[in-house]
């Protein structure tokens, strides 16, 4: 048997004929107990009325409580009809402003609510009011309650402000305060236990009250009073729960918003879901003239005559993104949400509203508030068939009546059917069905029909919910199904993620303040979340992405780029989830994304290409400061590029070391040319002189990381007869080249608006920090022939001349080769190397296996071993000399100066630790702590090492370090 739906009359004898439509009694014992308690109050009632009360009391504990408390009204309902009682309740609420104090006013409102709720429920259960009459009466009472409470509060405010006594109705009409009913209240569709969705605006020029000279504070106080009068639970109950979150940017605004601020918000940042909400907006209290003017002004926002593709997509997405039809939230009976679930009330509403938004700008006949009226308007315009309109209307009425029965049981704002079989049987009984099975069959038939029509409407649209869930970020609160979906995707703090995304949609960041950006973001959001969820630590990735887009000056270009290039989004997500340091760089300088537009972005750059690119960019510089800024942007962008390629496995960690070295090398060469030109403009040139840059350490060995310092030596040569430069302000040659070195160091280290470039370490030059910044070729040769310490000769094994004229470059290389191929006392060499290592161990004690440089068996041990062997044997085989550690070890093995097993142990340990160091320096600022590392960081380290899990990686690392240390001790015994 279907839920009863009969005539809307209210004759006093209407209960007599309602028997066939009454729900069965679920708890007859409870109904009998209530009758015993009512006793004389129900004596002599007609059989029809008694049957209605039995059905009500046997199904609803809430109606039992109402009946006991309002027993006098029961007789009035069956003697005079429910309309009389409801109309009196409406009148009492409208005139509550006459109460002497707020306690009396609140008591009057709550008694009126109880009487209205009791009469409405009995008329609904008896089937003498259909669903439209029920919702109309509920809404009229809500309007009366809001209006009466508002007039009471305005009258009290006028008295406190010593204003001339005014009629409360006139005060309400002239105050410039606008109370809009939204949602079901605006459409006269309130459900039985509905919240009231209200928005309150005030005209600051007309609102007559002040709180310490502040109009807004006074308006906020009135709204707080309204919420309290209607929503506070007292011994008399409550009237309505008030929801003010549909106001502009509810998370960032007061509960009363000025009309000026509101108009500006809707013009600049109003969203399509807010346009949908305003379809049902209606003035329910306050200054009706001001409200009409305000809503008239909003018509261009609500009803656009022309919509572009992105706007239409966004409108479709308002509901389409709520559900992905992939199994999540499938149609069911037990536990199904008949409002938000598939085939539910919301789908019928959005079926109408999306078409209204798209077409209503050109066709005012479609601008209907009520859902049923909107369906009829769509039919009348030939936009849907008569069958579609009729069947959706039938299902709408069915679901709304069921919604009312769910809420009548305990006066709860619920739309979800119970999962417990006994409770579900109760709902089936109250809905008028013989059993749960027959109820379920009819419910599913309606849900499937609604879903079918809804899917047909959007069948050409791509799903926005992802592969398995709900992803809705419209509205003012977190959608429970969306939170579930985010949790299933791997986000631990789904509340934070959903709240942040809603903030984006509200235009709280610059990137999303244009409608176009928000519409693109709506389409892109599922892909963004999927990409971030695919990282090893989705929450950390999301936090980084949030920081990144929060610093963007605009979002349209980026969002369009991501839509057109999904792989680019995957790359950025990978950076966010795996490399916090790179992500921070990107967040601080979003313009680095421009480098991603390069079609060769993922191609490994060659030194010549980098050199030519930097030269082209520097050619645009207008002054020296611009040169420095361009160089910094270049290094940052190319370092970011290499980092992304490393994460995306486009290059190996060894290749990354070469690329980082190439970036530094071509930058040094280019800046040297620029500072030479700058110095020459004032001091001229040293005729016949030349200047070279010698790279040491990791740059010399082409093993740089993204965070390496530059170990540099500057060497110059001048003809013996040239004493000074030739410019208008000449300098002695030695001073000239010292100045040139200092300017180059400054160009590499000084902080500009674009940040810094590198730290430069000059301690490896002859005489260390005490000597001149640049040394003459003669001094360099003499020092390394006569005075160099063992540790300086060790460092020289990694020297490489990277900038300067070829002739001087060859001379320096000859000096280096001569120094390194001079035979040394083997025992003294071994003693010195071991002594240096012990001093380093004391100065930099290792903090564990992940202190990759200084841990026993770490990179310092391996480099010292290779450098020791080169110095020991280069006099025998000069071809051994090679600044790169890996190549040097291979050469030593090949000529027999290093056993194959020892070479393998050192090489494998070096390869793993350099790979891990590359990732650490790229991804983490400061020391790496495995106990606090994110899953994404650990996964990236494992991938770089080619090892499946982090525990195995740690075991492998420790084992290789032990093996390397054993070789070191074998070569250099303590």
């Amino acid at each position: 048997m279907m839920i009863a739906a009969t005539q809307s009359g209210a004759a006093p004898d209407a209960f007599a004929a309602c028997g066939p439509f009454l729900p069965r009694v679920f708890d007859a014992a409870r109904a009998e107990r209530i009758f015993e308690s009512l006793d004389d109050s129900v004596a002599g009632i007609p059989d029809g009325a008694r049957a209605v009360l039995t059905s009500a009391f046997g199904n609803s504990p809430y109606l039992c409580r109402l009946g006991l408390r309002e027993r006098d009204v029961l007789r009035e309902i069956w003697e005079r009809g429910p309309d009389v009682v409801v109309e009196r309740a409406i009148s009492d609420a409208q005139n509550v402003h006459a109460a002497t104090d707020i306690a009396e006013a609140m008591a009057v409102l709550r008694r009126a609510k109880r009487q209205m709720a009791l009469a409405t429920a009995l008329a609904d259960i008896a089937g003498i009011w259909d669903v439209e009459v029920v919702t109309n009466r509920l809404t009229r009472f809500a309007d009366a309650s809001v209006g009466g409470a508002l007039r009471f509060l305005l009258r009290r405010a006028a008295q406190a402000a010593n204003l001339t006594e005014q009629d409360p109705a006139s005060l309400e009409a002239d105050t410039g305060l606008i109370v809009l009913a939204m949602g079901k209240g605006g459409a006269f569709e309130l459900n039985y236990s509905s919240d009231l969705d209200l928005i309150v605006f005030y005209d600051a020029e007309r609102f007559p009250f002040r709180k310490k000279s502040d109009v807004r504070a006074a308006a906020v106080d009135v709204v707080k009073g309204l919420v309290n009068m209607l929503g506070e639970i007292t011994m008399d109950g409550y009237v309505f729960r008030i929801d003010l979150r549909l106001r502009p940017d509810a998370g960032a605004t007061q509960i009363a918003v000025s009309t000026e601020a509101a108009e500006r918000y809707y013009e600049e940042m109003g969203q399509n879901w807010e346009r949908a909400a305003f379809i049902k907006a209606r003035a329910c209290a306050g200054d009706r003239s001001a409200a009409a003017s305000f809503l008239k002004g909003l018509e261009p926002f609500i009803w656009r005559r022309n919509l572009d593709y992105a706007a239409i997509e966004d409108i479709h997405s308002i509901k389409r993104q709520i559900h992905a039809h992939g199994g999540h939230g499938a149609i069911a009976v037990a536990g199904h949400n008949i409002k938000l679930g598939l085939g539910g009330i919301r789908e019928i509403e959005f079926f109408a509203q999306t078409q209204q938004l798209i077409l209503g700008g050109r066709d005012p006949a479609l601008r209907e508030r009520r859902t049923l009226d909107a369906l009829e308007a769509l039919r009348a315009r030939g936009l849907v068939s008569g069958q579609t309109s009729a069947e959706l209307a039938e299902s709408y009425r069915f679901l709304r009546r069921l919604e009312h029965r769910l809420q009548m049981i305990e006066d709860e704002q619920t739309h979800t059917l119970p999962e417990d079989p006994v409770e579900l049987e109760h709902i089936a009984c109250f809905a008028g069905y013989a059993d749960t099975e027959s109820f379920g069959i009819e419910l599913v038939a309606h849900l499937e029909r609604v879903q079918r029509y809804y899917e047909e409407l959007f069948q050409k649209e791509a799903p926005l919910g992802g592969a398995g869930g709900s992803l809705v970020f419209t509205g003012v609160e977190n959608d429970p199904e969306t939170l579930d979906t985010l949790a299933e995707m791997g986000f631990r703090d789904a509340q934070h993620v959903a709240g942040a995304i809603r903030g984006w949609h509200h235009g709280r960041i610059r990137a999303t303040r244009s409608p176009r950006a928000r519409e693109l973001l709506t389409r892109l959001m599922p892909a963004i979340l999927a990409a971030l969820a695919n990282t090893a630590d989705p929450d950390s990735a999301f936090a980084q992405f949030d920081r990144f887009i929060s610093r963007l000056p605009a979002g349209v270009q980026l969002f369009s780029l991501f839509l057109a290039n999904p792989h680019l989004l995957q790359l950025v997500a990978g950076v966010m989830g795996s490399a916090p340091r790179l992500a921070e760089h990107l967040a601080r300088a979003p313009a680095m994304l421009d480098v991603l537009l390069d079609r060769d972005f993922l191609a490994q750059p060659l030194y010549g290409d980098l050199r030519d690119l930097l030269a082209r960019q520097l050619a645009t510089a207008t002054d020296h400061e611009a040169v420095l800024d361009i160089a910094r942007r270049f290094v940052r962008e190319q370092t970011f590029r290499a980092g992304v390629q490393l994460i995306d496995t486009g290059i190996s960690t060894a290749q990354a070391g070469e690329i980082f070295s190439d970036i530094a090398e071509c930058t040094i060469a280019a800046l040297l040319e620029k500072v030479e030109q700058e110095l020459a403009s004032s001091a001229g040139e040293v005729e016949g002189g030349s200047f070279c840059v010698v790279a040491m350490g990791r740059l010399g060995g082409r093993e740089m990381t993204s965070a390496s310092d530059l170990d540099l030596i500057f060497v110059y040569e001048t003809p013996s007869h040239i004493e000074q430069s030739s410019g208008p302000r000449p300098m002695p040659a030695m001073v000239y080249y010292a100045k040139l070195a200092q300017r180059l160091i400054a160009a590499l280290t000084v902080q500009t608006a674009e940040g810094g470039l590198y730290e430069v370490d000059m301690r490896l030059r002859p005489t260390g920090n005490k000597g001149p910044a640049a040394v003459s070729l003669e001094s360099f040769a003499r020092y390394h022939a006569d005075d160099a310490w063992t540790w300086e000769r060790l460092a020289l094994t990694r020297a490489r001349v990277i900038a300067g004229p070829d002739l001087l470059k060859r001379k320096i290389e000859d000096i280096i080769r001569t120094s390194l191929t001079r035979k040394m006392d083997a025992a003294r060499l071994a003693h010195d190397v071991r002594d240096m290592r012990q001093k380093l161990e004391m100065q930099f004690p290792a903090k564990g296996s992940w202190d990759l440089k200084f841990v026993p068996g770490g990179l310092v041990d391996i480099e010292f071993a290779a450098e020791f062997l080169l110095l020991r044997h280069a006099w025998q085989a000069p071809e051994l000399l090679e600044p790169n550690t890996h190549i040097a070890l291979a050469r030593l093995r090949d000529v027999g100066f290093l056993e194959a097993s020892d070479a393998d142990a050192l090489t494998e340990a070096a390869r793993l630790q350099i790979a891990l160091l590359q990732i650490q320096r790229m991804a983490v600022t400061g020391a790496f702590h495995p106990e606090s590392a994110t899953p994404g960081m650990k996964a990236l380290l494992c991938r770089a090492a080619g090892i499946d899990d982090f525990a195995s990686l740690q075991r492998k690392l420790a084992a290789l370090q032990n093996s390397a240390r054993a070789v070191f001790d074998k070569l250099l015994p303590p």
Side-chain angles (χ1 to χ4, degrees):
M1 174 181 175
M2 290 181 58
I3 300 174
T6 60
Q7 73 278 9
S8 60
D13 61 349
F15 290 112
C18 66
F21 301 105
L22 286 178
R24 293 183 297 111
V25 178
F26 183 73
D27 188 342
R30 181 176 61 215
E32 190 59 35
R33 290 194 302 271
I34 300 302
F35 275 114
E36 291 175 0
S37 298
L38 289 171
D39 196 16
D40 292 343
S41 299
V42 294
I45 65 172
D47 290 343
R50 187 177 184 89
V52 172
L53 289 178
T54 302
S55 178
F57 296 154
N59 282 290
S60 169
Y62 173 63
L63 293 178
C64 292
R65 296 192 294 272
L66 287 184
L68 291 172
R69 188 154 189 179
E70 298 296 333
R71 59 185 69 200
D72 292 341
V73 176
L74 285 176
R75 185 173 296 276
E76 185 178 11
I77 291 172
W78 69 66
E79 287 181 349
R80 305 181 62 193
D83 272 307
V84 173
V85 174
V86 168
E87 292 301 328
R88 187 182 65 244
I90 291 173
S91 177
D92 289 347
Q94 285 174 330
N95 296 300
V96 74
H97 60 268
T100 56
D101 57 34
I102 193 166
E104 179 186 349
M106 291 173 68
V108 168
L109 286 170
R110 281 152 181 76
R111 176 173 172 79
K113 167 65 182 292
R114 293 195 302 270
Q115 295 178 356
M116 183 278 307
L118 182 58
T120 301
L122 294 178
D124 187 347
I125 292 169
I128 61 175
W129 287 356
D130 62 19
V131 71
E132 289 97 319
V133 175
V134 171
T135 56
N136 178 276
R137 299 297 192 272
L138 292 169
T139 306
R140 287 182 56 217
F141 177 77
D143 285 1
S145 299
V146 174
L150 180 63
R151 285 189 290 275
F152 176 88
L153 293 166
L154 292 174
R155 190 195 72 177
R156 192 173 65 166
Q159 292 170 345
N162 295 317
L163 297 183
T164 304
E165 183 68 27
Q166 282 185 277
D167 173 66
S170 300
L171 186 61
E172 178 190 13
D174 298 335
T175 198
L177 192 72
I178 301 168
V179 183
L180 297 183
M182 307 294 288
K184 288 183 168 61
F188 278 87
E189 295 173 336
L190 278 185
N191 54 53
Y192 189 75
S193 297
S194 185
D195 295 351
L196 286 185
D197 292 310
L198 303 178
I199 305 181
V200 182
F201 301 110
Y202 64 92
D203 184 337
E205 299 295 325
R206 296 180 56 198
F207 192 66
F209 306 117
R210 303 287 186 276
K211 182 179 182 181
K212 297 181 180 179
S213 302
D214 187 353
V215 176
R216 182 178 67 175
V220 167
D221 278 352
V222 170
V223 180
K224 287 180 178 177
L226 187 65
V227 172
N228 180 67
M229 283 190 71
L230 297 177
E232 182 180 349
I233 299 175
T234 70
M235 61 181 296
D236 293 312
Y238 75 103
V239 189
F240 288 101
R241 294 172 291 265
I242 305 298
D243 191 336
L244 299 164
R245 292 173 296 173
L246 287 178
R247 68 185 184 275
D249 198 3
T253 56
Q254 291 279 12
I255 55 177
V257 180
S258 75
T259 52
E260 181 182 3
E263 288 165 354
R264 186 166 59 250
Y265 169 85
Y266 291 120
E267 179 180 351
E268 298 175 359
M269 289 186 286
Q271 300 176 63
N272 279 316
W273 72 263
E274 290 173 302
R275 294 176 57 215
F278 266 96
I279 291 177
K280 295 187 175 185
R282 173 181 61 84
C284 66
D287 189 331
R288 306 303 176 105
S289 174
S293 177
F294 178 79
L295 289 174
K296 183 70 175 176
L298 280 191
E299 283 187 3
F301 163 66
I302 305 168
W303 306 109
R304 297 187 197 172
R305 290 191 60 81
N306 297 296
L307 294 173
D308 63 18
Y309 177 76
I312 293 173
E313 280 285 289
D314 195 39
I315 291 167
H316 282 264
S317 77
I318 293 171
K319 179 60 175 68
R320 183 160 47 87
Q321 67 181 333
I322 290 180
H323 295 292
H325 300 274
H328 180 88
I331 285 177
V333 177
H336 195 73
N337 188 314
I338 62 169
K339 176 183 178 182
L340 300 177
L342 293 183
I345 296 167
R346 184 62 58 86
E347 290 198 347
I348 303 173
E349 293 172 336
F350 275 88
F351 178 94
Q353 286 180 319
T354 51
Q355 296 181 83
Q356 286 179 287
L357 285 179
I358 293 170
L359 302 170
R362 296 186 299 276
D363 189 351
L366 298 177
R367 302 176 187 180
E368 296 286 354
R369 292 191 183 97
R370 293 177 68 244
T371 301
L372 295 176
D373 292 343
L375 290 171
E376 173 56 24
L378 290 169
R379 184 207 62 77
R381 283 291 188 264
L383 299 169
V384 301
S385 69
Q387 179 181 354
T388 299
S389 175
E391 290 188 346
L392 285 176
E394 180 186 11
S395 293
Y396 180 79
R397 292 185 176 99
F398 173 89
L399 293 170
R400 290 303 308 273
R401 285 192 294 268
L402 177 57
E403 176 185 49
H404 290 171
R405 299 297 168 87
L406 272 170
Q407 295 176 356
M408 280 178 197
I409 294 175
E410 279 292 3
D411 188 32
E412 293 177 331
Q413 173 69 334
T414 182
H415 309 89
T416 302
L417 293 167
E419 294 186 1
D420 180 80
V422 176
E423 294 179 11
L424 189 60
E425 182 186 357
H426 180 190
I427 296 300
C429 174
F430 200 13
Y433 290 85
D435 50 49
T436 304
E437 182 181 3
S438 58
F439 164 69
I441 290 172
E442 185 154 358
L443 171 63
V444 168
H446 281 286
L447 296 174
E448 288 180 343
R449 181 164 69 184
V450 171
Q451 185 191 16
R452 183 177 68 255
Y453 280 125
Y454 191 80
E455 284 184 328
E456 288 173 357
L457 181 65
F458 297 112
Q459 63 184 347
K460 296 181 180 179
E461 307 300 330
L464 291 181
S470 163
L471 289 175
V472 56
F473 303 103
T474 58
V476 295
E477 62 183 359
N478 289 334
D479 171 55
E481 293 188 31
T482 294
L483 297 181
D484 291 343
T485 302
L486 290 172
E488 290 168 7
M489 294 176 77
F491 294 96
R492 296 186 302 276
D493 192 353
Q495 290 273 2
H496 169 75
V497 172
I501 294 171
R502 282 207 329 279
W504 300 346
H505 282 288
H506 274 289
R508 292 180 193 158
I509 58 175
R510 288 181 298 169
T512 60
R513 286 184 184 158
S514 72
R516 173 72 173 173
R518 292 192 296 274
E519 288 158 358
L520 291 172
L521 180 64
T522 298
R523 296 177 60 195
L524 187 63
M525 203 63 249
I528 290 175
L529 287 171
L532 296 175
N534 284 335
T535 66
D537 187 358
D539 289 85
S540 176
F542 180 84
Q544 293 286 4
F545 191 84
D546 186 21
R547 281 192 285 273
F548 163 59
I549 71 162
S550 294
R551 294 174 180 175
L552 288 174
V556 170
Q557 183 180 10
L558 175 66
F559 300 153
S560 299
L561 183 64
F562 282 161
L563 283 168
N565 300 276
H567 183 63
L568 183 59
L569 176 58
Q570 297 293 332
L571 285 179
V572 172
V575 170
M576 301 301 172
S578 304
R581 187 169 182 264
L582 268 187
E584 280 296 326
H585 289 333
L586 188 57
R588 285 197 299 269
M592 276 200 299
L593 272 177
D594 290 345
V595 74
L596 300 176
L597 297 175
D598 184 352
R599 64 181 181 180
D600 296 325
F601 174 73
L602 292 178
Q604 181 179 347
L606 303 176
Y607 178 84
D609 295 333
L610 292 170
R611 179 194 58 209
D612 295 344
L613 174 61
L614 179 57
R616 290 194 299 272
Q617 293 179 0
L618 288 174
T620 65
T622 56
D623 54 32
H624 188 63
E625 185 175 345
V627 166
L628 301 185
D629 285 341
I630 289 170
R632 279 147 181 76
R633 285 195 296 271
F634 169 80
V635 170
R636 187 172 61 231
E637 289 173 357
Q638 296 307 318
T639 300
F640 174 73
R641 176 184 183 181
V644 173
Q645 289 179 346
L646 187 53
I647 289 174
D648 197 46
T649 65
I651 59 173
S652 67
T653 51
Q655 289 172 315
E658 295 173 359
I659 294 170
F660 291 137
S661 301
D662 286 346
I663 293 168
E665 187 172 332
C666 73
T667 303
I668 291 168
L671 288 177
L672 174 59
E673 181 181 348
K674 294 297 182 182
V675 296
E676 283 179 326
Q677 293 170 0
E678 185 194 26
L679 182 60
S681 67
S682 60
E685 298 177 352
V686 176
E687 185 179 349
S690 54
F691 180 95
C692 275
V693 180
V694 182
M696 313 286 281
R698 295 203 172 279
L699 176 55
R702 288 174 56 78
E703 298 170 352
M704 280 187 70
T705 70
S706 62
S708 291
D709 295 346
L710 302 180
D711 295 304
L712 302 177
I713 297 174
F714 303 122
V715 181
Y716 69 91
E717 182 183 29
T718 60
S720 58
H721 64 281
I722 301 296
E723 296 182 355
Q724 64 181 18
S725 64
S726 60
R729 290 188 296 221
M731 297 179 185
M734 182 176 67
V735 175
Y736 182 93
Y737 285 113
K739 288 282 188 184
L740 179 60
Q742 290 165 357
R743 292 194 179 199
L744 178 57
I745 293 170
L748 291 168
T749 60
V750 71
Q751 293 285 325
T752 74
E754 293 288 341
L757 268 182
Y758 297 101
E759 294 294 325
V760 174
D761 191 337
M762 299 289 295
R763 289 174 297 178
L764 293 177
R765 70 186 186 271
T767 69
N769 288 334
K770 296 179 181 179
V775 297
S776 68
L777 181 66
E778 181 182 357
S779 296
F780 184 75
R782 184 171 58 250
Y783 183 85
H784 282 289
D786 303 328
D787 302 322
W789 293 34
T790 300
W791 70 268
E792 290 174 303
R793 297 190 66 200
L794 284 177
L796 205 61
T797 62
R798 308 191 77 186
R800 186 167 58 88
V801 187
I802 62 172
D806 289 341
L807 180 58
L808 179 57
K809 177 179 178 181
R810 288 194 294 272
K811 291 178 180 179
I812 296 171
E813 289 171 344
D814 288 342
I815 293 169
I816 293 171
R817 185 178 300 105
T818 298
S819 175
L820 295 179
T821 55
R822 190 171 67 250
K823 186 177 181 180
M824 294 185 67
D825 179 83
R828 176 60 185 270
L829 175 62
H831 174 273
D832 288 351
V833 175
R834 186 76 204 203
D835 183 59
M836 283 186 287
R837 182 63 183 108
Q838 288 174 342
K839 289 178 179 178
L840 284 175
E841 286 179 335
M842 294 176 63
Q843 187 177 359
F844 302 106
K847 301 177 179 63
S849 294
W850 288 94
D851 191 348
L852 301 171
K853 287 180 64 176
F854 296 108
V855 67
L859 292 172
V860 169
D861 277 359
I862 298 168
E863 291 162 3
F864 269 29
E867 292 162 4
F868 161 73
L869 291 173
L870 288 175
L871 283 183
R872 181 176 177 181
H873 297 293
W875 67 274
Q876 297 170 280
E879 69 275 10
L880 288 173
L881 294 176
E882 165 58 46
N884 181 274
T885 303
H886 289 287
I887 299 175
L889 289 171
R891 289 182 179 180
L892 288 163
R893 178 199 60 207
D894 292 344
V895 297
F897 292 129
L898 181 62
E899 292 182 13
S901 59
D902 292 342
D904 291 344
L906 292 175
T907 301
E908 191 175 0
R911 183 174 290 113
L912 175 62
Q913 291 182 96
I914 289 176
L916 298 177
L917 186 69
Q918 283 287 7
I919 299 299
Q920 285 186 25
R921 295 293 187 264
M922 181 193 68
V924 180
T925 301
F928 173 73
H929 301 288
E931 64 278 2
S932 60
T934 66
M937 180 64 190
K938 291 179 179 179
L940 190 56
L941 289 167
C942 289
R943 192 170 67 187
I947 295 174
D948 291 337
D949 63 89
F950 193 70
S952 298
L953 172 58
Q954 296 207 94
R955 290 192 296 271
K956 179 75 169 179
L957 175 62
L960 289 178
Q961 287 170 343
N962 289 336
S963 298
R965 182 64 176 204
V967 174
F968 180 85
D969 289 339
K970 176 181 175 181
L971 297 172
L972 297 157

